[in-house]
Amino acid sequence: MLEFAEVSFAYPTATAPALDGVSFSLEPGQLLVVVGANGSGKSTLARLCDGLLTPGGGRVLVDGLDTADVSLVWDIRVKVGMVFQDPDDQIVGTTVDDDCAFGPENLGLPPEEIVARVAEALTSVGMDGLERREPHLLSEGQKQRLAIAGALAMGPRYLVFDEPSAMLDPAGRRSAIAIIERLAHEQGHGVLLVSHDAADVARADRALALSGGCVVFEGAPEDLLADAALLRACGLATGSMGVLGERLRALGLAVPVGALEAESVVDALWP
Amino acid sequence: MALTLADITCEYAEGSPLSYRALESVSLSIEPGELVLLLGPTGSGKTTLLRAAAGLLPSSAGTVEVDGVRIGVRGAQRAAVGMLFQRPESQFFALSVEEDCAFGPRNLGRSDKDARADGRAALAQVGLDPSTFGPREPWTLSGGEARRAALAGVLAMRPRYLLLDEPTAGLDAVGRDSVAAVIERTRHTAGVLVVTHDPDLLIRRADRVLVMSEGRTAFSGDVPAFLAALPALTATGAAEAPEVLRTLMLAERRLGRAGATPTLDVDEAASSLARMCAEGGVPR
Amino acid sequence: MKPISGMGQYVPTDSPLHHLDAAAKIGLAAALTTALFMASGFAGLGVLAAAVAWAVASSRVPLRAVARGLGAVSFVVVFTLLANSLRWEPAVALLRIGPLAVDAAGLRTGAFFAVRILVLVVGTTLLTLTTSPVRLSGGLERVMRPLSWLRVPVGDLAMTLTIALRFIPTTAEEAERIVMAQQARGAVFDKGGPIRRARAYAPVLVPLFFQLFRRADALATAMEARCYRGTEGRTRMREERMRGVDWLVMLGLGAALVAVGWFL
Ligand SMILES: Nc1ncnc2c1ncn2[C@@H]1O[C@H](COP(=O)(O)OP(=O)(O)OP(=O)(O)O)[C@@H](O)[C@H]1O
Ligand SMILES: Nc1ncnc2c1ncn2[C@@H]1O[C@H](COP(=O)(O)OP(=O)(O)OP(=O)(O)O)[C@@H](O)[C@H]1O
Ligand SMILES: [Mg+2]
Ligand SMILES: [Mg+2]
């Protein structure tokens, strides 16, 4: 279990704390979505998960290991994989496949297994054929996919994704979220997903909403999506698909509030 | 008056074994007062096209003209074109947000005082409080704050042509709305070209749509023509319908029917869907 | 603006030289260096230069990439040539400039040293041009492995080298990016005489410096987040080993090179 207990954090140069008394927990096999307006502390929370930042107050525990304990930090990082908001901050290798192999190499896996994992990870994000490309020659969307593949190849128990699909095209975004969902629900990883997209909220098992560094909601995604005022407060909008759902419900059709994508609406209408 | 790109071909790392042709004879023209959306999948050359339009790339062939003057020749006309970079982090270079925003206006010959005032006004325009965020180091901003600050740096120049590379990526709902409002306001005086993966926000106000695919123009025309061309564009993977229309198209495909009129109107889409349900359509 | 590219940066063409094991190539580079310093006359130098030229041709690396490496050391070459060939008021001279003059013997010495540096640089640049940074550091690690008996952190040294190599394109990329960002906001780099142009680049340097520190810091964070903790217990995706061919090529060619240096 990945657990935050009354966690607070302030950047040294900042006047206000970035996080203030945040508590929640994430189980393996669960998809937790973290939402909140710009600057509400989501990326800060993500960086606290594997000890890249350590809490100023409270504790972060990964399977019982405290991230503040310097001697445990490697055990923790093996368990928690990260995909940062800015892919350039994440890419280490000089070619696509070397970058993807970097994590597994650090784990000391045998070469055949590394090769297999790299191939699988790159295929699952649709980057085949670009293995020998140098990362700085990729488009932004391609870099973001590489960042995801790099984390996947490590096969950690918990995965933290900070807006992994912000710069992907719609097809890329759907495939990214499908991969992320599969990681949680089929492969049993505990996944924390930071997102500004209401459709991602609908796919999660639980939602956590931040505002000004404080938790303003924790619970079922449907409850969050049904509360317009709360949605607005944490920077989410359901957009035209939200309106479409409302209209359909007004016409007496059974479309759930969480149906914010074409597939889910059509599935709801013709089950 | 127009920003005109004629037959642009662009190759990265030209002449080396790694060379990659990112644009292949693309043409485009945009006038002040116009809003043009630029769509296309990852890696299709959208950013490259924007860079070429801003005179930042030596194109292998073709010309870029701003109001009839070739851009790039000794820096001419570059100031008339403002470009928001896809990654805000790659747009910053000054050590404070305020400095960064004042850089453009200062290059246009405005006095230091005016330049700073322009920068602060632009920050306020994108919803960042100048006195809180002005002194901050750009790289410590959160993702969304950084994108807003980068946009302010471009707006401060008041360019005649505004090129925005995914201005809403990573923004919250309020931020998206304020970007839409900024675009709406700017287009009275400027031509605006927006690269986006989120057409829903702007397509109702757009004059034209350009779709890129593998470095070529897959479509260029007004919004109704774009909607009509969508089935073909979707089939090749060049573009995707806005989500409401995609729902409608998906429902039709499930029921094995063919094209009702493509629409962006939510009420119309809802009643079409309801009709399909009522007519007892059975999925194939 | 022309993209700025690093010197000696890997060029992934396909050639026998690319396929040769990195450690073997390092061995050959060492043999070449030894031979160059042993060679006592133009004959030996000529044969070694011909060997390097043949290697360049067979590597299929564009000559432009090789020339870029030379650009950086051309100053050293010219300086060596001048320093060795200029004499103070000699009796016989080929060319006089005031009290300074060039005489035949001086010119010969100067040319000898200059050519030696030239061949050395081309030969070693060819190593980085035909070997990807990862393979290069892997090769170095294997070559230096005996040193680990002396408790030298061989793996970490090799990783440091890989990262230094990775930062060559990063530096070029950052400089390019800052120039582009400033151009996009009206800064002008391509106007005026050489001095004015050089001056325009001054505002690029300060941010470049800061930015490189930031990138280095971000890279360190990324490496940590991906469990890098020194090379102990680390494996490699491409576990490389010297094959029979590699030994044969290295020992055969290496011996030939050293023999040329010794006898000619
Ligand atoms: N290094 C830093 N120094 C000072 N303040 C910082 C630093 N990094 C972040 N902050 C501030 O802390 C707050 C939280 O930042 P964080 O990056 O966690 O936001 P976020 O929720 O991820 O926002 P976004 O959706 O825009 O990415 C912001 O107000 C930000 O300006
Ligand atoms: N500096 C470069 N050198 C070589 N190839 C490049 C370079 N920059 C981009 N490319 C390639 O050119 C193609 C087009 O890139 P571009 O950045 O224009 O795509 P894009 O449409 O903006 O994609 P995205 O939506 O992911 O940002 C991509 O295949 C990319 O890999
Ligand atoms: Mg963030
Ligand atoms: Mg792009």
Side-chain angles (χ1 to χ4, degrees):
Chain A
M1 197 165 70
L2 178 73
E3 199 178 355
F4 274 51
E6 288 296 323
V7 173
S8 299
F9 182 86
Y11 288 98
T13 54
T15 43
L19 285 182
D20 195 2
V22 171
S23 303
F24 69 89
S25 64
L26 170 67
E27 311 269 355
Q30 197 180 48
L31 176 55
L32 172 74
V33 66
V34 176
V35 295
N38 291 136
S40 58
K42 304 180 297 298
S43 298
T44 309
L45 183 148
R47 282 170 183 259
L48 281 159
C49 288
D50 75 339
L52 285 175
L53 295 177
T54 46
R59 299 208 299 169
V60 177
L61 300 173
V62 179
D63 290 337
L65 309 177
D66 192 331
T67 60
D69 185 340
V70 185
S71 64
L72 296 176
V73 81
W74 300 115
D75 300 313
I76 290 170
R77 288 191 187 149
V78 173
K79 289 174 188 283
V80 184
M82 299 278 284
V83 177
F84 299 122
Q85 191 160 4
D86 182 356
D88 269 18
D89 281 351
Q90 154 134 349
I91 294 170
V92 173
T94 41
T95 59
V96 166
D97 60 353
D98 282 331
D99 181 72
C100 199
F102 183 79
E105 287 181 339
N106 288 333
L107 300 183
L109 299 172
E112 317 79 63
E113 165 135 27
I114 299 180
V115 171
R117 282 199 187 190
V118 167
E120 190 189 329
L122 287 176
T123 307
S124 68
V125 295
M127 289 278 288
D128 324 71
L130 293 174
E131 289 85 356
R132 304 306 298 159
R133 189 74 84 85
E134 290 175 51
H136 65 105
L137 302 183
L138 297 171
S139 81
E140 295 303 329
Q142 290 165 335
K143 281 186 199 167
Q144 217 157 19
R145 294 184 195 204
L146 173 58
I148 297 178
L152 281 186
M154 292 182 66
R157 179 176 291 171
Y158 303 98
L159 278 159
V160 177
F161 292 99
D162 194 354
E163 298 188 39
S165 58
M167 265 183 265
L168 297 182
D169 54 24
R173 191 173 309 191
R174 276 198 300 278
S175 84
I177 184 75
I179 293 167
I180 290 171
E181 233 182 330
R182 201 157 3 102
L183 288 170
H185 295 149
E186 287 171 26
Q187 300 180 22
H189 298 271
V191 179
L192 188 150
L193 171 65
V194 174
S195 176
H196 285 295
D197 191 345
D200 291 348
V201 176
R203 286 167 176 253
D205 302 310
R206 289 177 75 70
L208 182 77
L210 295 178
S211 176
C214 300
V215 176
V216 289
F217 174 88
E218 201 210 339
E222 302 80 55
D223 296 340
L224 176 60
L225 290 170
D227 188 339
L230 188 57
L231 271 184
R232 198 74 193 163
C234 54
L236 282 180
T238 50
S240 336
M241 288 304 282
V243 181
L244 180 70
E246 272 168 36
R247 297 285 188 280
L248 290 173
R249 281 189 287 282
L251 292 168
L253 296 167
V255 177
V257 279
L260 295 169
E261 283 166 301
E263 285 78 8
S264 47
V265 172
V266 173
D267 286 343
L269 291 175
W270 291 277
Chain B
M1 288 228 297
L3 170 62
T4 316
L5 285 77
D7 261 327
I8 299 288
T9 296
C10 244
E11 194 164 321
Y12 285 111
E14 202 170 357
S16 90
L18 286 174
S19 75
Y20 185 86
R21 178 155 301 189
L23 290 180
E24 180 96 53
S25 57
V26 178
S27 298
L28 161 74
S29 169
I30 174 166
E31 287 169 22
E34 265 192 320
L35 172 60
V36 180
L37 295 193
L38 178 50
L39 311 177
T42 283
S44 58
K46 305 181 294 298
T47 299
T48 310
L49 183 63
L50 247 56
R51 285 186 189 149
L56 298 175
L57 281 185
S59 63
S60 323
T63 52
V64 182
E65 285 183 3
V66 183
D67 303 337
V69 180
R70 270 187 77 164
I71 203 173
V73 190
R74 306 198 164 245
Q77 295 294 334
R78 231 180 248 144
V81 183
M83 172 168 172
L84 173 73
F85 287 31
Q86 186 167 5
R87 285 179 60 236
E89 292 81 2
S90 41
Q91 196 185 309
F92 299 132
F93 45 81
L95 301 180
S96 77
V97 171
E98 195 171 5
E99 273 301 309
D100 208 86
C101 289
F103 184 89
R106 209 175 282 146
N107 276 327
L108 299 182
R110 295 182 203 154
S111 75
D112 188 64
K113 194 158 148 275
D114 289 351
R116 278 172 189 283
D118 284 341
R120 293 170 72 86
L123 279 172
Q125 212 182 342
V126 296
L128 293 180
D129 175 20
S131 49
T132 318
F133 287 96
R136 283 277 294 273
E137 206 185 309
W139 293 283
T140 66
L141 298 176
S142 85
E145 291 162 353
R147 192 168 301 274
R148 293 175 201 221
L151 180 58
V154 179
L155 291 176
M157 296 176 66
R158 287 181 246 135
R160 240 180 355 264
Y161 300 96
L162 190 59
L163 314 175
L164 306 177
D165 203 347
E166 299 197 23
T168 56
L171 289 194
D172 58 25
V174 180
R176 283 165 31 115
D177 290 348
S178 74
V179 166
V182 165
I183 291 174
E184 193 60 49
R185 229 177 301 140
T186 324
R187 72 181 286 198
H188 292 306
T189 51
V192 187
L193 178 63
V194 185
V195 173
T196 183
H197 287 312
D198 173 26
D200 209 36
L201 185 68
L202 293 169
I203 196 155
R204 288 172 192 81
R205 318 170 206 212
D207 297 300
R208 273 183 299 130
V209 179
L210 186 73
V211 180
M212 298 281 301
S213 174
E214 294 175 4
R216 294 161 189 275
T217 317
F219 172 85
S220 169
D222 62 9
V223 176
F226 168 67
L227 296 181
L230 264 174
L233 291 171
T234 334
T236 59
E240 279 220 353
E243 200 68 13
V244 169
L245 180 53
R246 197 168 75 86
T247 313
L248 209 53
M249 286 162 63
L250 189 67
E252 283 169 353
R253 191 140 31 92
R254 281 269 174 101
L255 302 180
R257 309 189 181 179
T261 37
T263 179
L264 287 172
D265 186 80
V266 179
D267 290 311
E268 204 177 316
S271 44
S272 296
L273 284 170
R275 203 169 333 111
M276 285 186 222
C277 279
E279 285 165 6
V282 183
R284 291 201 303 184
Chain C
M1 194 197 64
K2 277 256 153 26
I4 311 158
S5 299
M7 77 176 238
Q9 210 179 308
Y10 178 54
V11 181
T13 44
D14 196 24
S15 79
L17 206 52
H18 283 77
H19 288 293
L20 189 63
D21 184 85
K25 278 188 267 190
I26 293 170
L28 280 176
L32 175 70
T33 313
T34 318
L36 278 170
F37 281 94
M38 286 196 305
S40 51
F42 274 104
L45 219 50
V47 175
L48 294 173
V52 169
W54 170 72
V56 169
S58 70
S59 73
R60 299 196 194 121
V61 170
L63 282 179
R64 242 203 296 166
V66 181
R68 213 154 36 209
L70 284 182
V73 292
S74 55
F75 171 76
V76 181
V77 173
V78 171
F79 182 77
T80 311
L81 187 64
L82 288 180
N84 283 290
S85 51
L86 285 179
R87 296 289 157 90
W88 191 265
E89 299 186 337
V92 226
L94 299 171
L95 182 77
R96 285 180 192 275
I97 316 150
L100 287 174
V102 180
D103 73 345
L107 195 61
R108 276 178 69 92
T109 338
F112 183 78
F113 285 120
V115 171
R116 185 152 89 181
I117 296 179
L118 218 64
V119 176
L120 182 65
V121 171
V122 173
T124 41
T125 323
L126 201 55
L127 172 67
T128 54
L129 282 171
T130 60
T131 319
S132 78
V134 172
R135 291 204 168 156
L136 189 60
S137 77
L140 261 179
E141 195 177 337
R142 279 178 291 140
V143 171
M144 296 192 301
R145 195 163 289 156
L147 289 179
S148 60
W149 291 86
L150 302 172
R151 299 184 159 254
V152 175
V154 170
D156 293 320
L157 279 178
M159 178 54 85
T160 311
L161 179 84
T162 321
I163 289 171
L165 287 170
R166 180 191 178 279
F167 254 75
I168 295 174
T170 306
T171 309
E173 185 194 336
E174 280 300 333
E176 222 172 292
R177 177 191 76 68
I178 294 169
V179 167
M180 215 189 245
Q182 297 194 349
Q183 272 183 329
R185 278 191 274 156
V188 176
F189 292 92
D190 39 13
K191 202 160 152 181
I195 295 182
R196 185 152 169 212
R197 283 193 204 190
R199 274 237 306 271
Y201 280 96
V204 174
L205 292 180
V206 176
L208 178 62
F209 185 74
F210 276 92
Q211 190 59 9
L212 283 176
F213 270 98
R214 204 190 71 81
R215 287 289 292 265
D217 190 52
L219 183 65
T221 311
M223 289 174 65
E224 266 188 45
R226 292 169 76 182
C227 294
Y228 179 75
R229 47 179 145 168
T231 37
E232 213 168 300
R234 191 167 191 271
T235 48
R236 282 173 181 278
M237 173 165 66
R238 277 182 275 273
E239 203 56 73
E240 292 186 3
R241 219 169 267 130
M242 294 275 283
R243 295 156 299 167
V245 222
D246 296 316
W247 281 111
L248 208 69
V249 170
M250 181 177 82
L251 294 177
L253 278 180
L257 286 173
V258 175
V260 167
W262 183 263
F263 292 112
L264 292 172

